[in-house]
Amino acid sequence: MKVAKFGGSSVASAEQIKKVAAIVTADSERKIIVVSAPGKRSSEDTKVTDLLITLGETYLQEGEAEAELQAVVARYEDIAKGLNLGQDIVATIEADLRERLAFDRNRPESLMDLIKASGEDNNAKLIAAYFQSIGLKATYLNPQDAGLLVSNEPGNAQVLPEAFEQLAKLRGSEEIIVFPGFFGYSEDGTLVTFPRGGSDITGSILAAGTKADLYENFTDVDSVFAANPNVVDNPVKIKKMTYREMRELSYAGFSVFHDEALIPAFRNRIPVCVKNTNNPSSSGTMIISEREYFLSPVIGIAADKGFATLYVRKYLMNREIGFGRRLLQILEDEGLSYEHIPSGIDDTSVILRQGQLTSAIEERIVDRIRKELAVDDVNIERDFAMVMIVGEGMHNTVGVSARATAALARANVNIEMINQGSSEVSLVLGIHSEDADRAVRELYHEFFSGADETIE
Amino acid sequence: MKVAKFGGSSVASAEQIKKVAAIVTADSERKIIVVSAPGKRSSEDTKVTDLLITLGETYLQEGEAEAELQAVVARYEDIAKGLNLGQDIVATIEADLRERLAFDRNRPESLMDLIKASGEDNNAKLIAAYFQSIGLKATYLNPQDAGLLVSNEPGNAQVLPEAFEQLAKLRGSEEIIVFPGFFGYSEDGTLVTFPRGGSDITGSILAAGTKADLYENFTDVDSVFAANPNVVDNPVKIKKMTYREMRELSYAGFSVFHDEALIPAFRNRIPVCVKNTNNPSSSGTMIISEREYFLSPVIGIAADKGFATLYVRKYLMNREIGFGRRLLQILEDEGLSYEHIPSGIDDTSVILRQGQLTSAIEERIVDRIRKELAVDDVNIERDFAMVMIVGEGMHNTVGVSARATAALARANVNIEMINQGSSEVSLVLGIHSEDADRAVRELYHEFFSGADETIE
């Protein structure tokens, strides 16, 4: 049994939903279908989720938002028309939206969750109606009826352990279940949405709960690539990769999955397959718990920009027990999370995402570090990029770091930081942001030139 | 004006002390002479300091230690005879030792400090007497009379700021001052010894206090070498290096100075020269605050063994604000200091000197980390070496890490950790201990083959 999740672009229009139906029909193992809200039909289009946010915010501010509501209904109407579904389903959706707006305005966060989640929920109803109209045995299932219990944190739901037991009952369903992504219900019956990557999370939870043989994640690319196609021309396709490789690459800007999304599948060792709704015959990328490696110790190269370095120097720092802990306490007091802590003997740096650092926070932490830790020097520099070289084969291969650093030297990229040694599957190189694309291209050339079109 | 410090082997015998006198005579700027206790005359010999520790411990345990006292007196008697000094000075030394033993036995730590410090103190008296006997205008000066005020922590004296003012008065002395290393006096008049490297500390404090033009540190090697001569054949001699380079190298096993010893000279920008008592015409190694670099960005390569790695893995660790701080708190609670913290996204390692880790401590920290931090995995591995590549030129030179990692790949050394990015003058590579010598030889070959006999 397979759980198949279809992302926003896969369900953005009647034409796309017909492709989804063809995919579902082609494999009788595809029993649980998780759907997103309709995404963009073109690069200028607006996602239904964004229309819904506008609707909710306007309604909260002005007490009515008829034009915004009609804009949402029009999207579904357009899709329903393209699928020859008639007006019933559109009327259902419109009534549903009006009912949501009638929710208690004194709970604005929950009201927003309710409105946002309607994008997935109504699309699931519409797609189930379409499946039925073409003769598939299919049914819409609401997450509350399915028992998808989550914590009551608006916009940041965490699945509760008892949800998995409830969802296990879906295994063996005769009918195809069409399930909306992005939300669950708290124990008191409140709808709560997941954080970023919400529909992927729903699919992952369902795959884990039903102990699916495979979790298929349909999107609009043929596979995960070994490097960003916007930076490297025609990067090779990755045929198989491990959860760990996926996680390290997604951290550094590979945007296929949000990193929390796969946890339930990962913990239950459910294989995940990334596939293309627009080219379903392509084999896609399999994400599994273990793999062998053959050609290259490296499977992917990613770079992420926007890092700052907090540099602290104090003579005999390494003898001062508690120094590092007190430094991290100061960051914690400001709610800052950090990424790496390269250290010398008398100095240490803390690398963190600079988006967190307002000038007020920066001033406070520099001031506290100077006063409380009596340091000789402290400063913050911005605009670093972290380049991540990832592969299961790296740990046991002598010379990966030699090849990587030589490639950067060839590209005349100064390495500001190297962090290797804890993760067995990655090497992190800190460089200046303006060197990032050049670095990725040269590293790609070093590790992938002469590789076939796909690697595993 | 120069402060010259002579180490244990330089003042171990009459023959050595004659060399010291010749050195002092050869340069009228050498006005303050700091001396250690007599060291070993051969590899089987016992240092006077060790004889004194035996004397003190025996006396504290048994209430008398006549044989041990005689062994100490015999060493001075032997030196005095070789210098044609007669019995007066020997009688003075013996009386001094007996007076020290009469100190309050209810203060055993201070009694031990008093006895240990007699090694330097009596040697200074003897050497001053010898200088006078050959017609030099010289005088012994006691640290209490000179105002060398320190904190009252037996075995771990820290110089007090007011000491420098007092010591400034020694500048301009007509006579050569012979000053015992290793100890000062607290404000209540108690003798207190310095931590490791004590005579170097005294010399450094005197150089700083008198604003000497140079602090000469006489030992038994011609210079500091670019690598350990026991590992690399005929390593090049370093002619000039900076304090920072010295500090990083001494950390990783370069044993010329204990790293705290140079702080007073360093803070006052007094140049330090390492010279050989047995070959004073060799120019030695100058340690200065800044230098230019020419041939190689690297000045020295050192390796130190005996490191352990504490590895911790937890999914989504990098999102958990406070995780690193709480991990370091657990180490701090056990009094452990750490060296490096390489980190991945879901894992982090803490590298620390394994001498600190008893099996009881190891068990407690692993247990606490597992329980309090709810990690997915935690373990400790031992027997790593840290290889340190040091040079002021490294930060601005593209490719040092590429050359270093390529050298290790050639030598088939797997790199377990790389830490670069905080110190501007070093690159640290973690490898298995058994690979350390091979790694240092190959790195030396990479950075120094073709170099002249000396580098600066």
Side-chain angles (χ1 to χ4, degrees):
Chain A
M1 195 274 290
K2 299 175 184 172
V3 172
K5 180 254 163 183
F6 292 88
S9 67
S10 300
V11 290
S13 64
E15 187 193 2
Q16 289 299 92
I17 291 173
K18 286 177 185 170
K19 290 181 191 167
V20 171
I23 289 165
V24 171
T25 311
D27 184 345
S28 62
E29 292 294 305
R30 291 175 177 138
K31 281 289 188 192
I32 300 181
I33 311 303
V34 178
V35 299
S36 297
K40 291 182 181 188
R41 292 160 294 189
S42 68
S43 57
E44 297 80 39
D45 200 11
T46 307
K47 291 190 217 183
V48 166
T49 303
D50 290 337
L51 294 177
L52 289 165
I53 291 169
T54 308
L55 165 60
E57 287 174 349
T58 307
Y59 180 75
L60 278 171
Q61 276 164 34
E62 303 179 11
E64 73 94 39
E66 189 58 27
E68 289 76 13
L69 186 144
Q70 291 304 335
V72 175
V73 172
R75 279 294 303 270
Y76 289 106
E77 193 166 15
D78 184 59
I79 295 172
K81 199 176 289 175
L83 297 172
N84 296 317
L85 284 181
Q87 276 297 317
D88 275 9
I89 184 70
V90 181
T92 305
I93 290 170
E94 183 169 344
D96 172 86
L97 278 168
R98 293 194 189 278
E99 196 186 319
R100 287 173 198 253
L101 289 175
F103 185 81
D104 184 357
R105 285 179 64 190
N106 294 318
R107 293 169 65 192
E109 285 187 320
S110 291
L111 176 58
M112 281 304 292
D113 263 8
L114 201 57
I115 292 170
K116 280 194 287 175
S118 74
E120 281 74 12
D121 204 19
N122 285 322
N123 213 24
K125 292 175 201 165
L126 189 154
I127 290 167
Y130 173 63
F131 282 5
Q132 290 159 6
S133 78
I134 59 169
L136 288 171
K137 270 190 155 183
T139 187
Y140 156 80
L141 182 60
N142 183 278
Q144 187 164 28
D145 298 332
L148 179 39
L149 287 167
V150 298
S151 63
N152 196 351
E153 304 163 71
N156 192 33
Q158 305 294 320
V159 63
L160 299 181
E162 48 268 44
F164 294 100
E165 273 170 58
Q166 296 290 323
L167 296 170
K169 297 175 192 161
L170 303 183
R171 190 171 176 114
S173 161
E174 287 285 300
E175 292 183 307
I176 293 165
I177 295 167
V178 183
F179 201 103
F182 191 39
F183 67 97
Y185 285 84
S186 67
E187 276 167 331
D188 70 357
T190 306
L191 182 154
V192 198
T193 63
F194 288 118
R196 280 200 303 156
S199 293
D200 289 335
I201 297 175
T202 302
S204 181
I205 291 168
L206 282 168
T210 60
K211 304 222 180 306
D213 303 302
L214 182 65
Y215 172 32
E216 292 180 309
N217 197 296
F218 281 89
T219 175
D220 53 7
V221 291
D222 274 1
S223 65
V224 179
F225 296 100
N228 185 343
N230 297 326
V231 175
V232 172
D233 288 339
N234 300 313
V236 300
K237 295 171 183 172
I238 300 174
K239 210 171 162 186
K240 267 187 203 168
M241 66 196 305
T242 64
Y243 297 117
R244 295 203 292 182
E245 289 172 333
M246 183 73 227
R247 163 108 172 102
E248 304 260 345
L249 286 170
S250 74
Y251 164 80
F254 266 48
S255 58
V256 181
F257 287 107
H258 183 57
D259 48 11
E260 283 183 43
L262 286 190
I263 301 176
F266 162 72
R267 292 245 155 99
N268 289 277
R269 298 187 154 241
I270 313 287
V272 178
C273 188
V274 176
K275 286 181 73 87
N276 189 352
T277 302
N278 305 313
N279 184 20
S281 63
S282 169
S283 60
T285 300
M286 282 290 284
I287 306 168
I288 49 188
S289 39
E290 281 168 30
R291 72 173 179 97
E292 298 188 338
Y293 49 90
F294 304 100
L295 275 175
S296 165
V298 173
I299 200 161
I301 295 160
D304 204 9
K305 296 175 186 175
F307 291 90
T309 295
L310 166 68
Y311 172 81
V312 180
R313 182 165 55 76
K314 182 175 188 181
Y315 199 67
L316 294 181
M317 178 191 291
N318 76 322
R319 302 278 200 87
E320 194 173 326
I321 289 181
F323 186 91
R325 193 259 313 155
R326 291 196 290 153
L327 177 62
L328 296 184
Q329 180 71 63
I330 291 172
L331 301 185
E332 190 178 337
D333 290 346
E334 293 288 348
L336 300 171
S337 66
Y338 65 86
E339 308 297 320
H340 307 284
I341 321 177
S343 60
I345 295 170
D346 291 337
D347 39 23
T348 196
S349 295
V350 182
I351 292 168
L352 58 177
R353 291 192 187 264
Q354 67 195 22
Q356 310 174 88
L357 278 181
T358 63
S359 61
I361 291 178
E362 181 169 333
E363 209 173 289
R364 279 199 300 273
I365 60 174
V366 166
D367 193 56
R368 283 189 62 189
I369 289 166
R370 194 172 280 132
K371 281 183 189 149
E372 296 172 25
L373 302 180
V375 299
D376 295 325
D377 192 12
V378 49
N379 63 64
I380 290 178
E381 276 189 71
R382 287 165 181 264
D383 296 327
F384 292 97
M386 295 294 132
V387 177
M388 199 137 199
I389 301 169
V390 175
E392 289 283 343
M394 286 179 57
H395 191 59
N396 297 311
T397 309
V398 166
V400 169
S401 48
R403 290 174 64 189
T405 50
L408 295 194
R410 276 200 307 276
N412 202 33
V413 171
N414 208 358
I415 302 173
E416 302 293 324
M417 186 209 77
I418 303 178
N419 189 339
Q420 183 201 322
S422 196
S423 168
E424 293 185 338
V425 300
S426 69
L427 166 66
V428 181
L429 300 158
I431 60 178
H432 284 287
S433 283
E434 71 257 29
D435 295 334
D437 289 353
R438 204 163 80 248
V440 168
R441 279 192 286 267
E442 191 68 34
L443 288 167
Y444 182 84
H445 180 75
E446 171 64 35
F447 289 105
F448 291 98
S449 68
D452 288 340
E453 201 195 328
T454 61
I455 56 161
E456 58 179 328
Chain B
M1 194 275 291
K2 299 175 184 173
V3 172
K5 180 256 164 181
F6 292 88
S9 68
S10 300
V11 290
S13 65
E15 186 195 4
Q16 289 299 93
I17 291 172
K18 287 176 183 170
K19 291 180 190 168
V20 171
I23 289 166
V24 172
T25 311
D27 184 346
S28 63
E29 292 294 305
R30 290 176 177 136
K31 280 290 188 191
I32 300 181
I33 312 301
V34 179
V35 299
S36 296
K40 291 182 180 188
R41 292 160 294 188
S42 67
S43 57
E44 297 79 41
D45 201 12
T46 307
K47 292 190 217 182
V48 165
T49 302
D50 290 336
L51 295 176
L52 288 166
I53 290 170
T54 308
L55 165 60
E57 286 175 349
T58 307
Y59 180 75
L60 277 171
Q61 274 163 35
E62 302 179 12
E64 74 93 42
E66 190 57 28
E68 289 75 11
L69 185 143
Q70 290 305 333
V72 174
V73 173
R75 279 295 301 271
Y76 289 106
E77 192 165 17
D78 183 60
I79 295 171
K81 198 175 289 174
L83 297 173
N84 296 319
L85 284 181
Q87 276 298 316
D88 276 10
I89 185 69
V90 181
T92 304
I93 290 170
E94 183 169 344
D96 172 86
L97 277 168
R98 290 193 191 281
E99 198 187 317
R100 287 173 197 255
L101 289 175
F103 185 82
D104 185 355
R105 284 179 63 191
N106 293 319
R107 292 170 64 194
E109 285 187 322
S110 293
L111 176 58
M112 281 304 293
D113 263 9
L114 202 57
I115 292 170
K116 280 193 290 178
S118 75
E120 282 72 11
D121 204 20
N122 285 322
N123 212 25
K125 292 175 199 164
L126 188 154
I127 289 166
Y130 173 62
F131 283 5
Q132 290 158 5
S133 78
I134 58 170
L136 288 172
K137 271 192 156 179
T139 187
Y140 156 82
L141 181 60
N142 183 278
Q144 189 163 29
D145 298 333
L148 179 38
L149 286 167
V150 297
S151 63
N152 196 352
E153 306 163 68
N156 193 34
Q158 305 292 320
V159 64
L160 300 181
E162 48 268 45
F164 294 100
E165 275 169 56
Q166 295 291 321
L167 296 170
K169 298 174 191 161
L170 302 183
R171 189 170 177 116
S173 161
E174 286 286 300
E175 292 184 306
I176 293 164
I177 293 167
V178 183
F179 201 102
F182 191 38
F183 66 97
Y185 286 84
S186 67
E187 275 167 331
D188 70 357
T190 306
L191 181 154
V192 198
T193 63
F194 288 119
R196 281 199 300 156
S199 292
D200 289 335
I201 296 174
T202 303
S204 180
I205 292 168
L206 283 166
T210 60
K211 305 225 180 301
D213 302 301
L214 182 65
Y215 171 31
E216 293 180 308
N217 197 295
F218 281 88
T219 175
D220 53 6
V221 291
D222 275 3
S223 64
V224 179
F225 295 100
N228 185 342
N230 297 326
V231 175
V232 170
D233 288 339
N234 300 312
V236 300
K237 294 171 184 173
I238 300 173
K239 211 171 160 184
K240 267 188 202 166
M241 66 197 304
T242 65
Y243 297 116
R244 294 204 292 182
E245 289 172 332
M246 182 74 227
R247 163 110 173 102
E248 304 259 348
L249 287 170
S250 75
Y251 164 80
F254 267 47
S255 57
V256 181
F257 286 107
H258 183 58
D259 49 11
E260 284 183 42
L262 286 189
I263 300 177
F266 162 72
R267 291 243 155 101
N268 288 277
R269 298 187 153 239
I270 312 288
V272 178
C273 187
V274 176
K275 287 182 69 88
N276 189 352
T277 303
N278 305 312
N279 185 20
S281 62
S282 168
S283 60
T285 299
M286 282 290 284
I287 305 168
I288 50 189
S289 38
E290 280 168 30
R291 72 174 179 96
E292 297 186 339
Y293 49 91
F294 304 100
L295 275 176
S296 166
V298 173
I299 199 160
I301 295 159
D304 204 9
K305 297 175 187 175
F307 292 90
T309 295
L310 166 68
Y311 171 81
V312 179
R313 182 164 57 75
K314 182 175 186 180
Y315 199 67
L316 295 181
M317 180 191 291
N318 76 321
R319 302 277 200 89
E320 194 174 326
I321 289 181
F323 186 92
R325 192 261 312 157
R326 291 196 291 153
L327 176 62
L328 296 184
Q329 181 71 62
I330 291 173
L331 302 184
E332 190 179 338
D333 290 345
E334 293 288 347
L336 299 171
S337 67
Y338 65 86
E339 308 297 321
H340 307 285
I341 322 179
S343 60
I345 295 169
D346 292 336
D347 39 23
T348 195
S349 294
V350 182
I351 292 168
L352 58 177
R353 291 192 187 264
Q354 67 196 21
Q356 310 173 90
L357 276 182
T358 63
S359 60
I361 290 177
E362 180 169 333
E363 209 173 289
R364 278 198 301 273
I365 59 175
V366 166
D367 195 54
R368 282 189 63 188
I369 289 167
R370 193 170 282 132
K371 282 183 189 150
E372 295 173 25
L373 302 181
V375 299
D376 296 326
D377 193 11
V378 49
N379 64 63
I380 290 178
E381 275 189 71
R382 287 164 181 265
D383 296 327
F384 291 97
M386 295 294 132
V387 176
M388 200 137 197
I389 301 169
V390 175
E392 290 282 344
M394 286 178 56
H395 191 59
N396 297 311
T397 310
V398 166
V400 169
S401 48
R403 289 173 66 188
T405 51
L408 294 194
R410 276 200 307 276
N412 202 31
V413 171
N414 207 357
I415 302 173
E416 303 292 325
M417 187 208 77
I418 304 178
N419 189 341
Q420 184 202 322
S422 197
S423 169
E424 292 185 338
V425 299
S426 70
L427 166 65
V428 182
L429 300 158
I431 60 177
H432 284 288
S433 282
E434 71 256 29
D435 295 334
D437 289 353
R438 204 163 81 249
V440 168
R441 279 192 286 267
E442 192 66 34
L443 288 167
Y444 182 84
H445 179 76
E446 172 64 33
F447 288 105
F448 292 97
S449 66
D452 289 339
E453 201 195 329
T454 61
I455 56 161
E456 59 180 326

